[in-house]
Amino acid sequence: MKKIIIAFLNKHREKLRELFVYAVFGVLTTLVNWAVYLGITKVFAMDSYPEGSLTYLIIINAAQILGWVLSVLFAYFTNKKYVFQSDAGAKTGGWKEFFLFVSARIASLLIFDLALFNVLHLMGVNDKVDKLIMNVLVVIFNYVASRYVVFKKQKNG
């Protein structure tokens, strides 16, 4: 059994490294997003407005968007360098990677951060529980997009 496990680990070493590093930076990216969200909602005293009021909704959506922008920038640079180890530069496809990365993140922003976040909020889900559910779905979507679209390995030959 030990030999089977060792053989499996050796065969899938790079994939396991990638998943582990993605998880680490995914947690850090999520922390950036949450820190910005919580900071903005605290600074603008979201809790002092009636839940569902226009001001309340503007604050939580502005916090979502700014948290998204800063966490996407953090995620792009960490995913490029540490997770998928892309060496594409400006002349060798780096701008294309950045465009694809941001495009995938815009898709997840529209689907999860804005649409799902507001639907769950309108259903009466607490904004922090809502954000947690949304973050789990975003991480899965973003890994698939990054791995198979943005930073896909080029086949030689």
Side-chain angles (χ1 to χ4, degrees), residues 85-156:
Q85 300 175 332
S86 172
D87 58 0
K91 293 183 180 182
T92 59
W95 285 110
K96 180 182 176 184
E97 276 183 355
F98 183 75
F99 175 77
L100 289 171
F101 189 88
V102 171
S103 296
R105 292 319 194 264
I106 288 171
S108 71
L109 171 71
L110 295 174
I111 296 166
F112 301 107
D113 288 85
L114 295 179
L116 181 63
F117 185 79
N118 283 294
V119 166
L120 290 175
H121 185 75
L122 291 172
M123 292 172 53
V125 177
N126 174 280
D127 70 296
K128 282 140 188 101
V129 172
D130 182 355
K131 189 158 179 62
L132 181 62
I133 292 167
M134 180 268 314
N135 278 144
V136 170
L137 296 173
V138 165
V139 168
I140 294 166
F141 177 89
N142 287 343
Y143 175 77
V144 171
S146 292
R147 175 69 176 94
Y148 297 104
V149 177
V150 179
F151 300 109
K152 65 183 175 187
K153 305 286 187 220
Q154 299 299 322
K155 294 181 180 176
N156 295 329

Side-chain angles (χ1 to χ4, degrees), residues 5-21:
I5 293 171
I6 291 171
F8 174 83
L9 292 175
N10 284 332
K11 181 177 179 182
H12 300 288
R13 175 173 290 172
E14 177 56 25
K15 185 68 155 177
L16 294 170
R17 181 210 63 82
E18 181 181 283
L19 287 170
F20 176 76
V21 175

